Amino acid sequence: MSIKEADRVLPVTAGESNATREKRSVVQPSRIKQYEPLVLGTVSVVLALTAWQLVANARIYSILFLPGPWDVAQAFVKLFQTDDIWLDIGTSGMEMGIGYGMAIGVGLVLGMLMGWYTRFQYALDPFVNFFYSTPRIVLIPLFILWWGIEMPPKIAVIFLGALFPIIINTMAGVRNTEAALLRVARSFGASDALIFRRVVLPGSVPFILTGFRLGIGHALTGVVVAELIAAKHGVGQIIAIAGQTFQTPKMLAGVILIACTGMLLTTILQRIENRFQTWRPQIR
Amino acid sequence: MYDRSAKLSAKGVVIEYWLQRSRTLFTAVQGVDLTVRPGELLAIVGPSGCGKTTFLNAVDGLIPIAGGNLTLDGREITRPGPDRAMVFQQPGLLPWRTVLGNVIFGVEAQGTMSKKESIARAKHQIELVGLAGFEDAYPLELSGGMQQRVNLARALLTDPEMLLLDEPFAALDAQTREMMQLELLKIWSQTRKTALFITHDIKEAIYLSDRVIVFTRRPGRVKDEVEIKLSRPRDLRVKRDPQFLTYEDRIWESIQEELAVPAERLIAGVPAA
């Protein structure tokens, strides 16, 4: 069989529709290939860690300047042996939860309104563009002035950080509804409410989830930076204090905690995104 | 001209729209007079850009008419309604819904049928268009021809007084197109629903319809009308029938005249050196 022949999209026959959703290849698929991403990813990480450890072991620089992965791991374990860690994680988690939750609520509503009603978009665009181009973090001193060094200024920064990617993506999702689909719906006399619920909203889901995912990155940055500047508790506070007191391994342990949280949340959202895309044929 | 027994009646229909960027009023259709009789399959052909699709959109109620009179069963058409259903050139299927979900979308949008009933009837309709076994497939897994079958089933499920077809097979390959024409005739002959079929394919128009109307070039008007007296049921071989070819010649000539107009005008418009 020539490659050309195999590449041709084969006609679908009854009962076969599920099989066609799978990826196709010209050569017989090998079992190893399936694990390729996992294996290669792990190998590269292990190699990088080993290299880092070797350089650190040479102790050209002191542990203050370049701790090895092993030092960081030990610091990480020690971090979790203290009582305060859960208070710190709890505080940061709560700030994150409230700020990000509010961003989702407000962002979805504003994004949909701006996507659906052009005039609403015209009116709000200047504000969205202004705030999106401003690093919201620079507002922290002002928020601290307003609300002190407890949770509210952090929540505000997280909220503002996550809000705009969510607004912008939701709006783009609503706007990107295929004109052909709208025409079909109108032709069958669908009400605006039905068009929104059954056509616009489902079509926007991938965009909206992308907005959520981008928002997480902004929100996490917000937590850490806000706590770096002034806080009583929080993971960012751990990083700040460890950094200022030259406990570099502990500081990096805090960084890893944040990074892992980010990766975990992003992966969860990625999973949800995939769930909503079962109708898309696999392209990869 | 006005015929009381007509299903659809168009009298002096004018359709205009604004071109936003150049701020000019564009006349797409100027004074279309035609009637579609009950149970008739009428095809409209014309040079591309002649306003035939625009006219169909007006019949569907998607765009307003600027002048004249457009009635279905004596009632003026002002907006889309359950008495008409359109089969679109682009299938316009919701990619996240299965075949079944897409077929019921029309009645769902109209709100005229309970969900349970619509699903039961949709299954029957899917069988009728030859998609049995594909109820749970997603549109992106289907070929172009199969997507158009879903498009057709969605319109048929609403059980309209009149079926509007906007070049539904134009995007298909030649063989699939012929098969779909055959299938459409088979399905149509079971219901004999009044239908208005827009196409730029002369053979397709003759093969399917009882009458072919030729539009002039833009702004579109009715230029010619040809009664197709080929017996039904028609199989694809009828396309080689001498009578068929006579019709084809006549319609082709008619369209050629329209295409020739701009060239002559162009030459006439060149100032003598």
Side-chain angles (χ1 to χ4, degrees):
Chain A
M1 196 195 301
S2 74
I3 289 177
K4 254 210 150 114
E5 221 175 318
D7 272 355
R8 197 185 47 194
V9 176
L10 303 163
V12 190
T13 49
E16 204 198 49
S17 61
N18 266 326
T20 56
R21 243 184 277 173
E22 268 182 43
K23 196 181 148 196
R24 295 170 187 189
S25 64
V26 181
V27 291
Q28 189 183 14
S30 76
R31 282 183 189 285
I32 301 163
K33 190 127 187 154
Q34 185 182 344
Y35 299 107
E36 226 172 29
L38 185 67
V39 170
L40 287 184
T42 312
V43 166
S44 74
V45 169
V46 168
L47 281 179
L49 284 176
T50 314
W52 179 13
Q53 184 70 54
L54 286 176
V55 174
N57 273 355
R59 280 284 165 254
I60 305 165
Y61 304 103
S62 78
I63 193 166
L64 167 64
F65 287 95
L66 186 70
W70 183 243
D71 304 313
V72 177
Q74 280 177 315
F76 196 85
V77 172
K78 225 158 91 189
L79 198 60
F80 275 85
Q81 282 163 352
T82 61
D83 296 332
D84 282 353
I85 182 70
W86 295 112
L87 181 60
D88 288 320
I89 290 179
T91 307
S92 296
M94 184 122 90
E95 291 161 359
M96 176 86 186
I98 297 174
Y100 186 65
M102 278 167 50
I104 285 185
V106 176
L108 275 181
V109 171
L110 285 184
M112 284 176 193
L113 286 174
M114 287 176 74
W116 190 247
Y117 298 106
T118 321
R119 290 192 174 123
F120 202 77
Q121 189 208 344
Y122 294 157
L124 287 194
D125 248 355
F127 298 100
V128 171
N129 287 334
F130 178 83
F131 277 104
Y132 193 60
S133 340
T134 314
R136 275 79 74 193
I137 286 159
V138 299
L139 297 173
I140 293 172
L142 183 63
F143 293 152
I144 291 176
L145 208 60
W146 287 353
W147 296 309
I149 61 164
E150 300 277 339
M151 279 192 199
K154 283 100 188 171
I155 293 172
V157 168
I158 295 163
F159 170 73
L160 285 181
L163 181 65
F164 295 98
I166 295 177
I167 289 183
I168 290 169
N169 277 282
T170 306
M171 185 170 74
V174 173
R175 272 286 139 79
N176 268 290
T177 307
E178 235 183 284
L181 295 183
L182 290 178
R183 221 161 71 92
V184 169
R186 295 241 158 79
S187 165
F188 283 108
S191 65
D192 275 4
L194 189 131
I195 292 179
F196 191 76
R197 277 205 324 274
R198 300 282 150 85
V199 181
V200 174
L201 212 49
S204 314
V205 167
F207 287 83
I208 292 173
L209 290 175
T210 305
F212 286 2
R213 202 148 47 83
L214 294 175
I216 282 183
H218 288 260
L220 278 173
T221 315
V223 179
V224 178
V225 177
E227 287 179 358
L228 283 180
I229 292 177
K232 285 183 174 164
H233 308 284
V235 180
Q237 184 66 4
I238 296 179
I239 296 172
I241 291 173
Q244 283 152 15
T245 56
F246 304 110
Q247 295 172 273
T248 312
K250 187 176 175 184
M251 188 197 92
L252 289 180
V255 171
I256 286 173
L257 188 59
I258 296 285
C260 289
T261 312
M263 280 162 69
L264 180 73
L265 292 176
T266 311
T267 311
I268 292 173
L269 269 173
Q270 191 88 62
R271 285 278 162 87
I272 299 174
E273 271 179 59
N274 291 344
R275 268 188 75 94
F276 276 98
Q277 315 245 350
T278 46
W279 50 269
R280 255 183 235 281
Q282 307 256 309
I283 10 164
R284 236 169 68 90
Chain B
M1 185 78 205
Y2 186 68
D3 182 357
R4 285 217 161 270
S5 69
K7 195 80 184 169
L8 181 87
S9 158
K11 278 196 296 175
V13 169
V14 179
I15 304 170
E16 298 169 336
Y17 45 85
W18 284 94
L19 294 174
Q20 283 201 337
R21 230 174 343 157
S22 50
R23 291 168 185 276
T24 44
L25 191 62
F26 184 89
T27 308
V29 168
Q30 181 128 49
V32 167
D33 293 298
L34 62 83
T35 55
V36 186
R37 303 169 200 137
E40 180 183 40
L41 203 163
L42 180 80
I44 299 179
V45 293
S48 65
C50 72
K52 52 193 190 296
T53 290
T54 308
F55 177 73
L56 191 73
N57 282 336
V59 174
D60 194 32
L62 284 171
I63 51 173
I65 56 173
N69 212 306
L70 195 57
T71 56
L72 179 65
D73 288 329
R75 289 184 307 272
E76 205 157 325
I77 292 171
T78 51
R79 62 169 73 92
D83 50 358
R84 283 148 290 150
M86 177 101 95
V87 182
F88 298 85
Q89 180 173 0
Q90 297 302 322
L93 305 177
L94 301 171
W96 53 86
R97 282 201 182 191
T98 60
V99 166
L100 184 67
N102 270 293
V103 171
I104 65 169
F105 181 69
V107 286
E108 186 182 332
Q110 290 178 349
T112 44
M113 208 185 278
S114 76
K115 184 150 191 189
K116 213 175 141 189
E117 191 189 351
S118 65
I119 288 175
R121 289 199 188 194
K123 284 185 173 156
H124 174 72
Q125 200 62 250
I126 288 167
E127 239 168 77
L128 192 71
V129 299
L131 282 179
F134 285 100
E135 289 83 353
D136 297 326
Y138 287 94
L140 290 173
E141 298 166 3
L142 304 179
S143 66
M146 293 164 94
Q147 292 185 15
Q148 284 306 53
R149 287 168 197 254
V150 180
N151 189 355
L152 178 64
R154 177 178 60 194
L156 288 173
L157 187 65
T158 65
D159 194 20
E161 286 291 314
M162 191 169 176
L163 198 58
L164 311 174
L165 302 108
D166 180 16
E167 303 196 38
F169 309 141
L172 304 177
D173 64 82
Q175 278 126 45
T176 312
R177 191 181 313 154
E178 292 221 307
M179 289 318 295
M180 291 297 290
Q181 290 165 0
L182 188 70
E183 292 261 342
L184 178 70
L185 271 197
K186 224 192 282 171
I187 294 163
W188 178 77
S189 64
Q190 287 175 33
T191 55
R192 290 271 168 166
K193 232 172 235 321
T194 313
L196 185 55
F197 193 102
I198 303 291
T199 180
H200 60 258
D201 182 338
I202 300 171
K203 277 185 198 285
E204 182 171 85
I206 300 167
Y207 174 66
L208 293 174
S209 68
D210 298 309
R211 200 150 51 100
V212 176
I213 295 232
V214 181
F215 264 32
T216 63
R217 46 182 224 100
R218 185 181 65 78
R221 260 167 296 113
V222 173
K223 175 187 173 119
D224 203 356
E225 184 184 324
V226 182
E227 198 90 30
I228 307 296
K229 290 181 182 129
L230 298 166
S231 65
R232 293 186 190 270
R234 300 173 187 166
D235 62 18
L236 289 166
R237 262 170 306 193
V238 84
K239 290 187 178 181
R240 290 190 293 275
D241 187 290
Q243 183 62 37
F244 188 100
L245 298 177
T246 314
Y247 289 137
E248 193 181 347
D249 263 357
R250 157 133 185 232
I251 295 168
W252 188 83
E253 291 285 348
S254 195
I255 292 177
Q256 279 307 302
E257 279 170 30
E258 287 307 306
L259 291 175
V261 172
E264 278 164 16
R265 274 199 198 145
L266 204 66
I267 294 160
V270 174

